[in-house]
Amino acid sequence: MRTKSLAFRLAAYASLWIAAALLAGGLVLSAVFGDYVERAFDARLLVLLDALVAGAGVDEGGNLKLSRAPGEPRFEQPYSGWYWQVATDSGPLLRSRSLWDQLLRPPDYRPIGTGGQRFQLLVQPRRTLRFVGRDVTLPGSDETYHFVVSGDESEAQADIRTFNRTLAWSLGALGLGLIIAVLIQVRYGLQPLRRIRAAIADVSSGRADRMEGDFPAEVEPLVEEINVLLDNNADIVERARTQVGNLAHALNTPLSVLTNAISGGKTPEAGNLADTVRRQLAIIRRNVDHYLARARAAAAVSVLGARTEVLPVVEDLSRTLQRIHSSRDIEIGIDVPAGLYFRGERQDLEEMLGNLIDNACKWASSRVAVAATAADGRLKVSVDDDGRGLVADEREAVFDRGERMDEAVPGSGLGLSIVRDIADLYDGAVILGKSDAGGVRAVLDLPAAEIPPR
């Protein structure tokens, strides 16, 4: 749908904000200009009223006279809408020529005190008059004179309408220009996303192995993360190919032996068919178990954000292995502080620690100790036993698949090999050394994870 388009949303929201801002700005400007015009109109009326009052006087006979009229030509044009009038409570005394044969009768006009003034509207059939009145007592007379000046407000309204039309066209043109600018900005601003889409298409079609190109700083982290995922995926595929090849190679020899034995071929292994089948099937089983464990671990490594607390895993394994080795009365000591996390899957940590602790229990005289520390982003778990230990040559040999130091001790000979393979997948390592208790110390070095936020 069009509404799902990021470009459409950006353009639509920006256009709405531009329209709202321009509308609000236009209303404010129109109101300010209208108020200014009305104030200027009222100021003009006051100037004319002051001029009318200044030109009025009383002669020796007590009659009102006007020495000079206000300087407004429209006062001389009949029915121009611009009028003045001087009256008393008994009726009009003087009026402008523009009134001709009419009288200016403001609605509800009442004296409001000497020197006071007020503005009112007088609506006529074809125009609206705005007038100002003032009550004045002139020297030489006790009479109160009502001075009134009016003007045609339609002139001010015409100025306001002209301004509003100009303002509307101007803001409309400005809004259209801004919207066009937004469309251009959105089109070119989202160009990096189109380049990302093209780069991903190149990867999908096989034309490229990674996303290459010059990307803006804002999307560069996204490109880097995608490339990390692509590299990780390629690494997983390569590992899978290698494991399949290794498994095929490992199974080839025992299968050939079985084939020759069944067909009656003359091989050293063909003397006793049952023993030959049993031995070769054991080899096949060990290889299948080994490569299945590696395949599962390789898949688990690709899970992003996986983290496992170490202490619960060690405690669960300790309880389980103590029951398994209950006949030997092995004590398992734990020195693992809470809050240590392995950056990986729980099953993989259980696989590695389970093999190490199980081996320690098999070879220990009476005690196994498990300890863990974390520093500089690395987690180190050590497993110590008080058994007979291993010489330097044996410490490396035990990592070979199927290698066992003592056939009397149960096992497949794959445990330490699987531990090393899984640790390698996590960019870790397993190191064998001499324990302070006299036996073997196995140190598992793995990536640590931060404590998850609460």
Side-chain angles (χ1 to χ4, degrees):
M1 294 178 61
R2 188 70 174 174
T3 54
K4 292 184 178 180
S5 168
L6 183 59
F8 175 80
R9 290 182 181 181
L10 290 175
Y13 293 155
S15 299
L16 289 176
W17 277 110
I18 289 173
L22 291 180
L23 178 61
L27 293 176
V28 171
L29 289 176
S30 177
V32 170
F33 182 77
D35 182 70
Y36 167 77
V37 171
E38 289 184 358
R39 290 176 180 272
F41 192 83
D42 291 344
R44 174 68 173 163
L45 291 179
L46 283 176
V47 169
L48 295 175
L49 178 62
D50 291 340
L52 180 63
V53 173
V58 178
D59 59 15
E60 296 179 354
N63 298 319
L64 180 67
K65 63 178 182 178
L66 194 64
S67 60
R68 64 179 183 276
E72 172 56 61
R74 285 173 290 187
F75 285 148
E76 303 297 324
Q77 301 173 8
Y79 308 119
S80 64
W82 289 80
Y83 312 119
W84 61 263
Q85 177 178 283
V86 183
T88 62
D89 292 339
S90 59
L93 299 179
L94 298 173
R95 57 187 176 180
S96 65
R97 193 176 186 83
S98 55
L99 275 172
W100 198 249
D101 57 352
Q102 301 292 322
L103 296 177
L104 191 61
R105 296 185 177 88
D108 301 327
Y109 182 76
R110 299 184 303 276
I112 57 176
T114 302
Q117 61 199 26
R118 63 180 179 181
F119 293 93
Q120 283 185 289
L121 291 178
L122 176 60
V123 180
Q124 294 185 336
R126 290 183 297 175
R127 59 168 59 98
T128 297
L129 300 180
R130 186 170 179 83
F131 66 89
V132 60
R134 182 184 298 167
D135 298 337
V136 179
T137 300
L138 297 175
S141 174
D142 295 331
E143 188 77 38
T144 298
Y145 298 96
H146 309 311
F147 289 80
V148 178
V149 174
S150 71
D152 188 356
E153 196 184 46
S154 61
E155 297 179 9
Q157 296 301 322
D159 291 341
I160 293 175
R161 287 193 297 271
T162 301
F163 174 81
N164 286 340
R165 284 195 297 269
T166 304
L167 180 64
W169 281 107
S170 300
L171 293 181
L174 176 61
L176 181 61
L178 290 175
I179 291 175
I180 293 175
V182 166
L183 294 176
I184 295 174
Q185 183 179 12
V186 168
R187 178 175 179 81
Y188 286 97
L190 295 181
Q191 190 67 31
L193 296 183
R194 284 185 279 272
R195 294 208 304 270
I196 290 177
R197 183 175 63 183
I200 293 176
D202 289 340
V203 173
S204 300
S205 63
R207 292 190 295 267
D209 296 328
R210 305 175 83 254
M211 295 180 62
E212 304 292 345
D214 184 18
F215 297 97
E218 291 76 9
V219 299
E220 186 67 32
L222 173 62
V223 175
E224 292 177 357
E225 290 298 325
I226 293 176
N227 281 332
V228 168
L229 291 176
L230 291 174
D231 293 342
N232 187 40
N233 182 69
D235 187 50
I236 291 173
V237 172
E238 184 61 30
R239 286 175 179 173
R241 290 174 179 170
T242 302
Q243 298 307 318
V244 170
N246 290 341
L247 179 59
H249 179 74
L251 296 180
N252 183 59
T253 299
L255 289 176
S256 298
V257 172
L258 287 176
T259 302
N260 290 334
I262 293 173
S263 62
K266 301 299 183 179
T267 64
E269 294 84 359
N272 189 319
L273 180 59
D275 290 341
T276 299
V277 171
R278 188 163 44 252
R279 287 194 304 272
Q280 301 307 316
L281 286 179
I283 295 174
I284 293 174
R285 187 187 192 93
R286 287 199 301 269
N287 281 286
V288 169
D289 289 343
H290 172 76
Y291 286 106
L292 283 177
R294 287 204 56 158
R296 184 190 57 75
V301 171
S302 63
V303 178
L304 300 178
R307 67 178 72 234
T308 302
E309 188 173 5
V310 179
L311 181 58
V313 173
V314 173
E315 291 176 338
D316 291 345
L317 290 173
S318 175
R319 286 191 294 268
T320 301
L321 291 172
Q322 278 186 324
R323 286 195 297 268
I324 293 175
H325 299 280
S326 59
S327 61
R328 301 187 58 234
D329 195 22
I330 299 296
E331 177 188 355
I332 300 178
I334 299 175
D335 182 17
V336 178
L340 295 184
Y341 285 83
F342 161 59
R343 184 161 55 83
E345 290 288 318
R346 180 186 177 98
Q347 295 88 340
D348 294 331
L349 185 60
E350 289 176 342
E351 183 84 27
M352 291 183 285
L353 288 181
N355 277 297
L356 292 179
I357 299 175
D358 184 42
N359 275 345
C361 289
K362 291 175 182 178
W363 293 98
S365 297
S366 61
R367 178 174 173 79
V368 172
V370 182
T373 58
D376 300 326
R378 303 298 298 181
L379 171 70
K380 292 188 178 182
V381 184
S382 63
V383 179
D384 291 67
D385 67 71
D386 58 354
R388 70 174 181 83
L390 295 173
V391 298
D393 293 340
E394 291 176 331
R395 292 170 190 164
E396 185 60 31
V398 293
F399 287 106
D400 295 336
R401 291 198 304 273
E403 184 66 31
R404 299 167 62 189
M405 293 297 100
D406 189 347
E407 294 293 334
V409 178
S412 64
L414 292 173
L416 291 178
S417 177
I418 292 175
V419 172
R420 171 176 280 184
D421 288 342
I422 297 177
D424 287 343
L425 292 174
Y426 283 100
D427 292 327
V430 57
I431 304 170
L432 298 182
K434 184 175 178 58
S435 171
D436 293 339
V440 175
R441 168 173 291 178
V443 178
L444 193 59
D445 185 355
L446 298 170
E450 297 179 358
I451 299 175
R454 297 186 181 275

